[in-house]
Amino acid sequence: MKKNRTILYSLLLLPALITSLVSGCYRDPQVALELNEEDVKFRVPVGFPAPAYDFSLNPVTVDGFELGRKLFYDPRLSRDNTISCGTCHQQVSAFANTSHQVSHGIDGLFGTRNAPGLWNLAWHSTFMWDGGIQHIELQPLGPIANPVEMDEDINNIITKLKNDALYPGMFKSAFGNDTITTQRITQAITQFQGLMISDNSKYDQYSRGETTLTPAELAGLATFRSKCATCHTEPLFSDNSYHNNGLAPEPTIMDAGRMHITNDPADSLKFKTPSLRNIAVTGPYMHDGRYATLSQCLNHYTSPMYQSATLDPLLSSGIPLTAQEKSDLLAFLATLTDYTFIQDPKFKEQ
Amino acid sequence: MAMKLRDALFPLLITSFLAFDSCKPETVDPNPTPVDPTHPTVTVPTGNAVCLSFENVVGNIPLTLDQTLRYQNMNGDSFSVELFKYYISNISFTDDQGNTWYEPESYHLVNAADSNSLKVYVDSMPVANYVSVSYMIGVDSARNVSGTQTGALDPGNGMFWTWTSGYIQAKMEGRSPASTASFDLLVFHIGGFGGQYAGQRVVSPSFNSATAIVTANTLPVIHVKSDLNEWFQSPNTIDFAAMSNVSTAGANSVLIADNYVNMFTITSIQN
């Protein structure tokens, strides 16, 4: 009986195996992915605006990209060698952190904000929920230095990398010699992170005329465009600006948001508009991860807003949404998940 | 946090530097050991250049980095200084014909704990008789938002905020019995590069009718006194009991920046 079942399984799997081999898609997971220059070419998707970052000043190469990927997944970028960028930014959730409301950092410490997903970063000129970091190359220095995240000094990282068997050679391949500097570390990570382009969701395919949306998805798109798109502007699904969206501040954190950076009371409780791309897989939601589901997010906008002087005027009474509109919106938001991106092997830890 | 700060300060306690007349070429260590391995080694130019020699003082007392309460601010608070660093950038010189020459890539970090850094060499200058200088305390806003920099602007030099990206234009750390912070710490990290809380200031300390004569084969030395006490006295008198920790860009950092605009005096020019 057992033998028969084994044979049956083998027969079932055989066509799939043959198809894989014939189509050239079969990869031995033990063998590192071979990339060519075309795989790491920065491109601006049709319909996207001009990027904020100028890759001509940091040309992407296979060696630079692979160095950036190794750094991204290397826990030695933290003080006690336990936390990597990839710890809180996981590809399966579009480089957000599934189930963690706020970041879990070094020594079991909690951060105060939800780790955002990473995609289309080359189109941002500010980073983090409060926009405090003003350049994609400088962004990794924030979590590296943060005492509740990675808590490491960049100079210690340079020392660790210099003493590593592989890194000096990788820096030489990427940058021409084996000198390891803050600039080279962050530019290599930028080559990796900046290539995380998400432009192949069902929504994108629909936009390009490659597929159709269901009636519910289309109705959701119409509702989205009339009631959400002012802040969640297509095609990036964010205006990359700062808004107070009526969330009551969490009393133990009292996060002032953008005001933390500007010291301007007019920025109190404002946070950067998150992109809605891949939103179905990046929960929990909001800057502090307070909502586990998208339904809760929609219900927030139909509930009384936390009234304060900086509440966005467009949200003074929330957003009126019927149960049908919410249902349609959820269907539409699911079309924003880019499975090509979240399964792209070149972004996986090697 | 405070413990870590103290730990970070400790190595500075073993060394202190005072470098009057340190700019003469014959006094330069031919094989200097940079404090930070990312610093380029010092190259002393032999012509078409000037040396800005910074001499750090607190009031009339030469600066010594340690925990001794040697100094007193205008408010009457005694204090020590354990760290003192500032950026000098965007240097330009104007000659007696009215021509102004701008140093390219003009970014220098003066660190009281690094004697080499007190001598800022400006080279590749046109031969001329220069009658004035202008420079910025801090780093211009453009360079704050142009990605990860190298050399003096390397974010690893301890003069860069990472929670909100941008340079600390100038910083001092020390202690005062008047401080309300733990370990009596004084922390003045003056950052901010844009808007109302920007910390950079452009200064033009007077040559007092002297001239820096740049030739192809000499090295004029401009002696610049940097008085840390100016941070705390005019126009804003700082009471350490009311202000002992400034580590964000805001109203307090602007008070200090509006003061440190007065910190430089050119005491002599040696041709």
Side-chain angles (χ1 to χ4, degrees):
Chain A
M1 188 63 194
K2 191 177 177 187
K3 190 180 176 186
N4 285 346
R5 191 186 296 163
T6 307
I7 290 169
L8 183 62
Y9 281 170
S10 301
L11 287 171
L12 285 170
L13 287 170
L14 196 58
L17 184 62
I18 290 169
T19 307
S20 300
L21 288 169
V22 169
S23 68
C25 285
Y26 175 77
R27 288 186 194 282
D28 182 340
Q30 301 304 313
V31 175
L33 181 66
E34 290 283 342
L35 294 176
N36 60 48
E37 294 296 331
E38 202 58 33
D39 294 324
V40 297
K41 193 173 174 184
F42 179 73
R43 60 193 168 79
V44 178
V46 174
F48 274 36
Y53 185 65
D54 182 359
F55 264 112
S56 74
L57 301 174
N58 179 23
V60 187
T61 61
V62 171
D63 291 326
F65 177 91
E66 290 178 339
L67 172 59
R69 180 173 61 200
K70 184 173 172 67
L71 290 165
F72 183 90
Y73 286 112
D74 193 338
R76 283 176 293 180
L77 269 57
S78 65
R79 170 172 47 77
D80 64 356
N81 307 325
T82 59
I83 311 274
S84 73
C85 307
T87 301
C88 293
H89 297 286
Q90 301 161 339
Q91 188 178 11
V92 66
S93 50
F95 295 98
N97 197 350
T98 307
S99 84
H100 287 186
Q101 282 86 1
V102 294
S103 299
H104 296 191
I106 201 161
D107 298 333
L109 294 167
F110 286 129
T112 57
R113 293 179 182 154
N114 181 256
L118 309 179
W119 57 83
N120 302 339
L121 300 176
W123 281 265
H124 292 252
S125 53
T126 62
F127 296 83
M128 317 301 259
W129 283 102
D130 55 24
I133 296 180
Q134 308 209 23
H135 198 281
I136 186 173
E137 291 176 11
L138 299 168
Q139 194 281 332
L141 300 174
I144 285 172
N146 191 318
V148 299
E149 293 185 50
M150 298 161 86
D151 193 31
E152 182 59 299
D153 185 309
I154 189 70
N155 296 308
N156 291 341
I157 292 173
I158 290 171
T159 302
K160 290 181 196 177
L161 301 185
K162 279 179 177 170
N163 293 329
D164 181 76
L166 295 177
Y167 274 113
M170 293 182 76
F171 276 87
K172 185 175 182 182
S173 300
F175 295 109
N177 61 51
D178 63 5
T179 304
I180 300 177
T181 65
T182 312
Q183 184 183 60
R184 287 180 170 184
I185 290 170
T186 59
Q187 287 191 340
I189 293 174
T190 298
Q191 290 192 26
F192 178 62
Q193 291 191 130
L195 261 286
M196 293 178 177
I197 296 169
S198 179
D199 71 333
N200 201 29
S201 65
K202 186 177 182 185
Y203 158 84
D204 294 301
Q205 293 167 9
Y206 166 76
S207 298
R208 294 192 295 257
E210 298 165 5
T211 191
T212 55
L213 298 183
T214 67
E217 291 164 348
L218 281 170
L221 174 58
T223 300
F224 171 82
R225 284 178 171 160
S226 69
K227 298 191 173 181
C228 314
T230 305
C231 296
H232 295 287
T233 317
E234 295 169 79
L236 298 172
F237 289 87
S238 172
D239 60 358
N240 287 343
S241 186
Y242 308 89
H243 302 275
N244 173 350
N245 66 339
L247 293 167
E250 208 290 319
T252 61
I253 300 175
M254 292 304 289
D255 191 339
R258 179 69 177 157
M259 182 181 159
H260 179 60
I261 301 303
T262 64
N263 267 333
D264 184 348
D267 288 330
S268 177
L269 305 180
K270 291 184 180 177
F271 294 89
K272 190 175 174 186
T273 310
S275 168
L276 297 184
R277 286 179 170 274
N278 301 300
I279 197 69
V281 298
T282 60
Y285 302 103
M286 301 298 180
H287 64 272
D288 51 12
R290 68 178 64 189
Y291 297 135
T293 67
L294 286 173
S295 290
Q296 289 174 306
C297 295
L298 296 181
N299 290 340
H300 162 69
Y301 289 108
T302 57
S303 304
M305 298 282 102
Y306 175 78
Q307 296 293 325
S308 64
T310 58
L311 176 62
D312 195 286
L314 291 174
L315 296 174
S316 55
S317 307
I319 302 174
L321 293 169
T322 65
Q324 185 62 50
E325 285 174 320
K326 288 181 182 177
S327 168
D328 293 340
L329 275 173
L330 291 175
F332 168 68
L333 292 173
T335 71
L336 296 176
T337 304
D338 181 349
Y339 293 99
T340 308
F341 171 59
I342 66 176
Q343 294 171 354
D344 188 336
K346 73 170 176 278
F347 297 122
K348 291 189 194 309
E349 185 173 7
Q350 303 290 307
Chain B
M1 191 63 193
M3 277 301 290
K4 284 171 61 181
L5 183 60
R6 191 173 62 169
D7 292 345
L9 290 173
F10 183 73
L12 301 180
L13 306 183
I14 60 170
T15 51
S16 63
F17 293 90
L18 177 68
F20 286 106
D21 274 338
S22 60
C23 228
K24 291 175 185 168
E26 62 268 28
T27 66
V28 173
D29 179 353
N31 298 300
T33 305
V35 167
D36 185 310
T38 60
H39 279 173
T41 50
V42 175
T43 305
V44 180
T46 56
N48 294 94
V50 301
C51 170
L52 290 166
S53 174
F54 290 92
E55 295 141 11
N56 295 315
V57 301
V58 187
N60 294 318
I61 307 172
L63 175 65
T64 302
L65 299 178
D66 63 14
Q67 285 190 36
T68 307
L69 301 172
R70 306 168 187 275
Y71 316 112
Q72 195 172 65
N73 67 11
M74 181 177 258
N75 192 56
D77 308 322
S78 62
F79 68 105
S80 66
V81 180
E82 293 157 52
L83 183 153
F84 186 37
K85 297 166 80 172
Y86 46 90
Y87 276 110
I88 298 295
S89 75
N90 294 278
I91 300 172
S92 67
F93 289 93
T94 300
D95 68 19
D96 56 4
Q97 305 300 307
N99 303 310
T100 300
W101 177 84
Y102 299 88
E103 185 188 32
E105 274 300 304
S106 184
Y107 300 96
H108 308 271
L109 177 56
V110 177
N111 177 1
D114 175 4
S115 60
N116 283 336
S117 77
L118 301 178
K119 293 155 278 178
V120 171
Y121 296 104
V122 181
D123 60 16
S124 304
M125 293 178 67
V127 168
N129 297 330
Y130 292 96
V131 296
S132 69
V133 66
S134 175
Y135 55 84
M136 179 181 281
I137 313 169
V139 178
D140 52 275
S141 61
R143 204 51 80 97
N144 276 269
V145 293
S146 300
T148 312
Q149 306 291 310
T150 56
L153 297 180
D154 189 314
N157 289 340
M159 293 292 281
F160 193 80
W161 279 333
T162 53
W163 53 276
T164 176
S165 60
Y167 288 94
I168 298 169
Q169 317 291 10
K171 69 156 75 163
M172 77 79 68
E173 294 173 5
R175 290 163 211 256
S176 171
S179 167
T180 56
S182 53
F183 305 109
D184 293 342
L185 286 173
L186 297 177
V187 176
F188 290 88
H189 293 185
I190 311 305
F193 59 83
Q196 62 180 324
Y197 300 131
Q200 319 92 320
R201 293 292 183 275
V202 174
V203 298
S204 304
S206 172
F207 274 20
N208 295 310
S209 304
T211 303
I213 302 167
V214 170
T215 72
N217 50 20
T218 59
L219 182 63
V221 180
I222 300 171
H223 292 273
V224 186
K225 186 175 74 174
S226 308
D227 184 357
L228 176 54
N229 238 359
E230 290 287 351
W231 286 39
F232 310 118
Q233 56 194 39
S234 178
N236 308 303
T237 304
I238 305 302
D239 174 358
F240 287 154
M243 192 194 300
S244 50
N245 176 17
V246 178
S247 44
T248 63
N252 283 349
S253 66
V254 169
L255 292 177
I256 302 295
D258 287 343
N259 283 349
Y260 67 43
V261 74
N262 299 314
M263 71 187 273
F264 298 107
T265 307
I266 293 176
T267 54
S268 68
I269 298 176
Q270 291 174 291
N271 286 297

